Amino acid sequence: MIKVHHNHEKVNLMSDSIITRFPPSPTGYLHVGGARTALFNWLYARHMNGKFILRIEDTDTKRSTQESVDAILQGLEWLGIEWDEGPYFQSERIDIYKSYVQKLIDTGHAYYCTCSEQEIEDMRQEAVKAGKNPKYNGKCREKGLPKTDNAVVRFKVPYTGTTVLNDVVKKHIVFQHTELDDFIIQRSDGMPTYNFAVIVDDITMHVNTVIRGDDHVSNTPKQILLYNALNEPLPTYAHVPMVLGKDKTRLSKRHGAMSVTEFKDMGILPEALVNYLVRLGWSHGDQEFFTKQELIEKFSLKNIGSAAGIFDHQKLIALNAAHIQASDISYLCRLMIPLLNQIGCNAEQGTFLEKVIFTLQKRSKTLIEMADNARFYYTDAVVYEDQAIQKCFTPASTPLMAALLEQLKQISEFNEKNLESAFHRVVEQTGVKMNQIAQPIRVALTGKTASPGIFEIIEILGQDKAMSRIEKAIMYINEHH
Ligand code: GLU
């Protein structure tokens, strides 16, 4: 019978500080599911004053690329997930895995196997014929074969009994050993398999808390068996349900943006994506909005949910708007400068930009939208939207605009209060409603029918710019009617 370790008791005895890790395989960009796993591990380490390790699982040399490593590191950095140790690279640790393979061979827990692919295929077929799972039949298990060039190393799974996973999220799961077979821990080229490398790393890096996607639940009995064979304490396991799309299928390209970089490019704030991803599998009452500091204070394993998180782009955008509103102006300015430059607006740090951002902060759901809304502040060549022309640029509006121009000329100090009075004087003179003046002026200044407050924008643009734009608009209307 196999010994069952009870995760929590053992860990608490063994270690007083929490050590978590994020071990991505560098075979693609950092996607939101991986980012959430990283976040949970990072938050838990921060919450517990522990340590968070980054490890790159690059033993699959055909699929691993430096580009992916870079993309993953950049994604983590952008999200503000700092690691305390690493990145370690599995490809640089092959000797360590080999020494652990040797330990298992020496203690009789593992053996060399020289069965050919064809033989293994035949065994699998036979098992299926006998109504069992396709599996290796243990042919080399008791042969005591020596190491040879084409030999793999297999782990001896007990024929009978069970292995139990006590998971923080999944609770108690019992695995029958008859469902498993003697799985490979080292390939013939000397490379470790995932299940083996991961436990050797977690053991040697003193990782005591493993938070990962529940797609790894089926690997866990194999990993537990390896810990037991090496007489090492088990980590605490928390297997988090996958992130699904709105149609309840596993999140994929079909559901839209997936990679952390894509969200960055959409103008999502890292704080918003962090908040959204954490809430996608963890909760603290009904609270939706969290700063990073609050997440660190409140994060706990026990509040990880057992239901899959549904990724909803609309909700992320709404949360992003809330984070934009809660951000410091100076922070937003820093993020906006490159975005504004990209669209040809010559923005630089200073009070002008601060005022611009202040008017847009409550009106923009993404930074991209904010940049687009800020465009009119930077370019005198205002492009009038068609429907704005239709609605507001009528012959009746030109005398009102001209009357306002007269008033603007006379303002000595160009501030919101004086501007408001100027508009009111035109209302009194002409007897029209405020909107009938404000709307054509808005279109003249911004090209659009919706913008920040009219007095605010005139003050920011300043007397010369505002007046010349209004003059241009009057000319435009006269030419087109
Ligand atoms: N490299 C594995 C993955 O990306 C790590 C799984 C684990 O956390 O053990 O899925």
Side-chain angles (χ1 to χ4, degrees), residues 21 23-25 57 194 198 210-212 215-216 223:
R21 61 8 169 223
S25 309
E57 303 208 328
Y194 155 69
V198 89
V210 170
I211 308 168
R212 62 185 173 195
D215 49 337
H216 284 289
Q223 296 178 13

Side-chain angles (χ1 to χ4, degrees), residues 25 41 51 59 83 86 98 159 241 249 261 309 311 341 400 403 437 474:
S25 309
N41 282 284
K51 197 161 73 176
T59 53
W83 48 97
K98 286 192 174 155
Y159 284 139
T249 64
T261 321
F311 198 97
N341 291 344
L400 302 174
I437 309 166
I474 293 173

Side-chain angles (χ1 to χ4, degrees), residues 2-59:
I2 200 83
K3 236 187 337 181
V4 173
H5 293 264
H6 288 283
N7 309 355
H8 311 283
E9 298 150 35
K10 256 212 141 162
V11 165
N12 291 341
L13 287 177
M14 292 297 298
S15 159
D16 43 3
S17 107
I18 290 296
I19 304 183
T20 65
R21 61 8 169 223
F22 177 55
S25 309
T27 54
Y29 49 78
L30 179 63
H31 60 87
V32 286
R36 188 189 59 163
T37 303
L39 273 168
F40 280 10
N41 282 284
W42 174 76
L43 282 173
Y44 190 55
R46 287 290 170 272
H47 177 77
M48 299 297 286
N49 265 320
K51 197 161 73 176
F52 172 66
I53 298 176
L54 178 61
R55 179 169 81 221
I56 306 293
E57 303 208 328
D58 59 347
T59 53

Side-chain angles (χ1 to χ4, degrees), residues 362-474:
K362 289 195 179 62
R363 320 175 49 89
S364 311
K365 294 192 188 69
T366 69
L367 299 181
I368 297 298
E369 188 184 329
M370 190 183 270
D372 191 45
N373 289 339
R375 209 187 281 266
F376 76 86
Y377 283 114
Y378 288 91
T379 167
D380 286 325
V382 176
V383 182
Y384 310 125
E385 284 180 356
D386 280 346
Q387 51 104 5
I389 297 174
Q390 304 283 321
K391 243 166 110 184
C392 307
F393 278 3
T394 58
S397 58
T398 49
L400 302 174
M401 295 164 85
L404 184 79
L405 264 183
E406 272 315 301
Q407 292 296 330
L408 293 184
K409 262 186 217 157
Q410 288 161 32
I411 294 181
S412 53
E413 207 191 319
F414 222 64
N415 58 30
E416 276 190 52
K417 193 170 143 279
N418 288 343
L419 288 165
E420 193 173 348
S421 314
F423 272 79
H424 278 295
R425 279 196 295 277
V426 180
V427 168
E428 276 158 30
Q429 273 171 21
T430 58
V432 298
K433 290 209 177 74
M434 177 63 110
N435 239 2
Q436 287 171 271
I437 309 166
Q439 278 308 81
I441 296 294
R442 191 188 303 281
V443 178
L445 300 174
T446 70
K448 299 178 186 187
T449 51
S451 77
I454 191 81
F455 312 130
E456 268 179 302
I457 58 180
I458 298 178
E459 185 190 326
I460 294 173
L461 285 170
Q463 197 156 9
D464 292 349
K465 279 196 176 166
M467 289 181 50
S468 81
R469 287 190 194 183
I470 295 168
E471 279 160 9
K472 256 197 203 165
I474 293 173

